[in-house]
Amino acid sequence: MQQQRSQQLFERAQRFIPGGVNSPVRSFRAVEGTPPFIARGNGARVWDVDGNEYIDYLGSWGPLALGHAHPVIVDAVQRAAADGTSFGAPVEQEVQLAEMICQALPSVDMVRLVNSGTEACMSALRLARAFTGRSKIVKFAGNYHGHADGLLVQAGSGALTHGVPTSAGVPESYAAETLVAAYNELESVQILFDAWPSDIAAVIVEPVAGNMGVVPPADGFLDGLRRITESHGALLIFDEVITGFRVAYGGAQTLYGIAPDITTMGKIIGGGLPVGAYGGRADIMQMVAPLGPMYQAGTLSGNPLAVAAGVATLTEMQRPGVYDQLEATAVRLTEGIAHAFATAEMPSTINRVASMFTGFFNPGPITSLAQVEQSDAAIYGRYFHAMLERGVYIAPSQFEAGFVSIAHTASDIDRTIAAVGEALSSLER
Ligand code: PMP
């Protein structure tokens, strides 16, 4: 694989950007090697600066349910740009996006748009604390909610991959306000509420864990969280940054029929541009400035380009058959991968919810972070490179989700499955 230009760029990047990347998950430190610098994308494919072509399963880590450079999205962004890129004053399209979000998510009466999932989760916690007058929060080990201080405690995603689940620089006094429970283990949540019955403002959870690899919620887990939080006067926050408009148009809360008090969003609602959002019950959202005392703001929030991409994306996602197609594509892919692993006699577990999935090098079943961590990350690293060489781009970490888009065709999937078979047989064991 030709990598000369990527290598040159990576050397330059490392001089000016820590680790050469603007987000650690893009780094190949866990799997070693030089990340290809991407020149362009179209549909299910990306091309790097050396001209290598890949079938892409990163999908920009979730936003690109329509694939790269979807003509409707490109057109929406171009039109918006021609009319001015930012005003710092209200625009019509942000109302449209807010309305679409509230119509889609049954528990969301009002929503505030921000610029990232991080901002959404950080603000949701402040809101929960403002509403309840309490200071502690509960999160789950291996769940990731962005890089706000109190959430970088036993975090997933790059924090897990790169061995810094709890970041340096977070004051101990602040981290002490974050209580950590075990995903899919209600008992661990109950223990925290028994210890601090009236101090916990909220439980924040990825309703389908994606940032320790995909781990679906166990039967009764989300229900149990709803029950425990309600009975203690704490709020339940669903982090639907990945799952919103992904696992169903109405998110995980629709798929599983649970109404959280606050929902955080990002990724798909921005169609590949920087957007996040937090929303919920009207009585809670009325705490937000200028209506109430919880302050949160943003120079570029509701940015016309970003919301235009969001509105166009959600409009496309409403087309009949989109979610059936995503499901069918993901089923074809994960069944094919499972078959290839079985043929290679490689122990594996493929977890999937709708169009998000992870193949673990681990015989499974995988329902907890402890089981995730027993996966063979070293083999994953070699498999990752074998796939990349065969023109398939998957996450450079065992602890991440893969995504399919509506642009992935049956022949893309079949090529990918063939690549999996070849990659597995190329691995020395
Ligand atoms: N929550 C979840 C569930 C996420 O997956 C992510 C990002 N991967 C975030 C929050 C943070 O979003 P952002 O990277 O846009 O700040």
Side-chain angles (χ1 to χ4, degrees):
M1 198 170 93
Q2 190 46 272
Q3 266 218 306
Q4 208 179 347
R5 293 200 59 203
S6 280
Q7 261 153 10
Q8 284 164 358
L9 280 170
F10 193 45
E11 274 161 35
R12 249 173 84 200
Q14 284 170 290
R15 251 184 288 146
F16 301 111
I17 303 171
V21 289
N22 280 314
S23 187
V25 295
R26 298 173 199 172
S27 154
F28 278 16
R29 282 172 88 91
V31 294
E32 297 176 5
T34 300
F37 279 64
I38 304 301
R40 67 190 179 90
N42 192 270
R45 275 151 216 271
V46 292
W47 288 265
D48 70 17
V49 290
D50 291 291
N52 300 303
E53 177 180 315
Y54 309 94
I55 304 175
D56 177 34
Y57 293 97
L58 280 184
S60 186
W61 302 89
L64 301 184
L66 302 173
H68 296 274
H70 188 289
V72 172
I73 310 306
V74 173
D75 183 57
V77 173
Q78 283 175 340
R79 280 166 191 266
D83 285 335
T85 55
S86 181
F87 305 105
V91 296
E92 182 172 350
Q93 306 92 296
E94 64 190 326
V95 189
Q96 216 181 330
L97 182 57
E99 248 168 28
M100 290 176 93
I101 290 171
C102 293
Q103 279 160 5
L105 301 182
S107 72
V108 176
D109 300 326
M110 295 175 94
V111 65
R112 172 56 68 77
L113 301 180
V114 293
N115 304 291
S116 67
T118 293
E119 271 186 69
C121 295
M122 177 186 78
S123 308
L125 290 187
R126 187 182 305 136
L127 177 57
R129 286 169 162 145
F131 186 78
T132 59
R134 301 172 175 185
S135 58
K136 295 203 183 298
I137 57 134
V138 173
K139 80 174 284 291
F140 294 93
N143 280 19
Y144 179 74
H145 307 290
H147 59 88
D149 282 350
L151 287 167
L152 284 181
V153 177
Q154 296 193 36
S157 188
L160 180 61
T161 302
H162 300 299
V164 284
T166 304
S167 175
V170 177
E172 237 172 75
S173 59
Y174 193 52
E177 303 295 347
T178 304
L179 308 173
V180 180
Y183 192 77
N184 273 342
E185 291 172 29
L186 269 185
E187 187 58 28
S188 70
V189 180
Q190 189 60 57
I191 288 169
L192 295 175
F193 274 97
D194 289 345
W196 286 280
S198 50
D199 300 303
I200 297 170
V203 173
I204 185 167
V205 65
E206 287 184 63
V208 176
N211 285 293
M212 52 194 206
V214 172
V215 179
D219 278 351
F221 176 61
L222 298 175
D223 264 324
L225 293 182
R226 182 62 287 181
R227 193 168 20 81
I228 295 173
T229 46
E230 214 156 58
S231 68
H232 289 83
L235 301 185
L236 178 60
I237 304 173
F238 271 12
D239 179 348
E240 299 232 38
V241 167
I242 289 180
T243 55
F245 301 91
R246 164 70 61 185
V247 298
Y249 188 75
Q253 55 197 266
T254 303
L255 187 64
Y256 298 108
I258 315 270
D261 301 296
I262 302 177
T263 301
T264 60
M265 289 152 272
K267 304 209 190 240
I268 288 179
I269 62 163
L273 274 81
V275 182
Y278 64 102
R281 278 191 352 236
D283 60 325
I284 300 173
M285 292 307 288
Q286 273 157 6
M287 296 291 293
V288 179
L291 288 184
M294 193 292 267
Y295 197 75
Q296 179 273 311
T299 301
L300 296 174
S301 295
N303 173 265
L305 269 63
V307 294
V311 168
T313 299
L314 299 194
T315 305
E316 286 300 305
M317 298 298 284
Q318 285 174 350
R319 283 177 185 272
V322 163
Y323 287 88
D324 291 343
Q325 187 188 331
L326 286 171
E327 177 85 13
T329 304
V331 166
R332 187 182 183 107
L333 178 67
T334 50
E335 284 180 353
I337 294 175
H339 184 256
F341 271 75
T343 305
E345 295 178 7
M346 177 69 84
S348 70
T349 305
I350 319 286
N351 279 355
R352 178 186 72 83
V353 175
S355 57
M356 56 193 281
F357 62 92
T358 300
F360 294 98
F361 282 83
N362 177 335
I366 295 184
T367 62
S368 69
L369 178 62
Q371 291 161 336
V372 164
E373 287 182 316
Q374 281 158 21
S375 302
D376 192 333
I379 293 195
Y380 184 90
R382 295 189 349 246
Y383 170 74
F384 166 81
H385 283 291
M387 291 297 283
L388 203 63
E389 277 161 26
R390 287 164 180 80
V392 180
Y393 202 143
I394 58 175
S397 162
Q398 170 72 97
F399 309 114
E400 298 285 1
F403 301 98
V404 295
S405 72
I406 58 160
H408 287 83
T409 62
S411 88
D412 292 332
I413 298 303
D414 294 346
R415 256 187 75 176
T416 303
I417 294 165
V420 171
E422 288 171 28
L424 288 175
S425 47
S426 78
L427 298 180
E428 287 169 35
R429 268 183 268 169

